[in-house]
Amino acid sequence: GENVEQHPSTLSVQEGDSAVIKCTYSDSASNYFPWYKQELGKRPQLIIDIRSNVGEKKDQRIAVTLNKTAKHFSLHITETQPEDSAVYFCAASLSGSARQLTFGSGTQLTVLP
Amino acid sequence: KAGVTQTPRYLIKTRGQQVTLSCSPISGHRSVSWYQQTPGQGLQFLFEYFSETQRNKGNFPGRFSGRQFSNSRSEMNVSTLELGDSALYLCASSLWGPTGRSDGYTFGSGTRLTVV
């Protein structure tokens, strides 16, 4: 089955700096890649997603890039703020949508004021 | 609109018992998926229901089962509880459009199950 690896497991950045989290997937047929943010004690929330027919997608300070050849995708957060501190999960699916997601192990992002 | 509601929020059970967790999806969402979240294994897919039918099942033993009712509410059941079943169980609902794509998961707050 699909396997998703996520790096780094922890990441600390200064407020205002950029943060990058990377994920690799094993099944070349995967075609949907969402990112979720989970604050301590709260539910995971979808922050951005990308499908395999697109190489990059942006939403304000957040962007995701996808390299199908290398089978990896990355989350980029610019101008980080303390409220960006959370655990971020990447995921992959074969269905083209949020369905039977395989998640990465998570990255604890800490934004230092 | 109301979000995804999971009950109960917390549960303590003894090894060998069984437990039933409930999930009410967002109104209009017919797809409900369940995930187990643990510190060691992360988020793992349990199963997905759509219009009362199980569409997919993850790699969990048969002690884990679920069902969905005609109003899209879903329950999952774990029988013969083991210590390793202690986890946060998350339910997620999604809306599937005529294109065959969903607009992404909305997760509930989860049920924290502790097996002692």
Side-chain angles (χ1 to χ4, degrees), chain A residues 13 31-32 61-62 82 101 108:
Chain A
V13 299
N31 52 16
Y32 174 71
R61 297 187 295 109
I62 292 172
L101 295 179
Q108 173 68 62

Side-chain angles (χ1 to χ4, degrees), chain B residues 49-98:
Chain B
Y49 287 88
F50 184 85
S51 293
E52 302 179 65
T53 301
Q54 186 181 89
R55 287 209 289 199
N56 290 291
K57 189 176 193 304
N59 189 26
F60 278 82
R63 300 185 297 106
F64 291 81
S65 63
R67 59 178 175 169
Q68 187 179 35
F69 301 95
S70 58
N71 62 357
S72 294
R73 189 177 72 84
S74 177
E75 290 181 346
M76 69 163 279
N77 184 278
V78 187
S79 62
T80 318
L81 284 166
E82 301 178 359
L83 296 178
D85 296 334
S86 294
L88 179 66
Y89 289 88
L90 290 162
C91 163
S93 75
S94 59
L95 178 65
W96 285 75

Side-chain angles (χ1 to χ4, degrees), chain A residues 95 97-99, chain B residues 31 48 50 55 94-98 100-103:
Chain A
S95 71
S97 294
R99 188 176 178 185
Chain B
S31 172
E48 177 199 7
F50 184 85
R55 287 209 289 199
S94 59
L95 178 65
W96 285 75
R101 287 182 173 178
S102 78
D103 61 350

Side-chain angles (χ1 to χ4, degrees), chain A residues 36 38 44 89-90 101-105, chain B residues 35-46 60 88 90 107:
Chain A
Y36 288 84
Q38 188 175 28
F89 293 95
C90 64
L101 295 179
T102 299
F103 281 87
S105 54
Chain B
Y35 286 81
Q36 181 194 65
Q37 186 173 26
T38 60
Q41 299 297 318
L43 280 151
Q44 292 189 291
F45 172 75
L46 280 156
F60 278 82
L88 179 66
L90 290 162
F107 280 94

Side-chain angles (χ1 to χ4, degrees), chain A residues 4-17:
Chain A
V4 177
E5 293 191 359
Q6 183 171 346
H7 299 282
S9 56
T10 61
L11 179 60
S12 293
V13 299
Q14 289 293 138
E15 183 177 357
D17 287 350

Side-chain angles (χ1 to χ4, degrees), chain A residues 40-56:
Chain A
L40 187 63
K42 296 192 176 180
R43 68 191 76 190
Q45 290 191 301
L46 177 68
I47 56 171
I48 196 167
D49 57 9
I50 192 168
R51 290 186 165 86
S52 58
N53 59 345
V54 176
E56 183 176 6

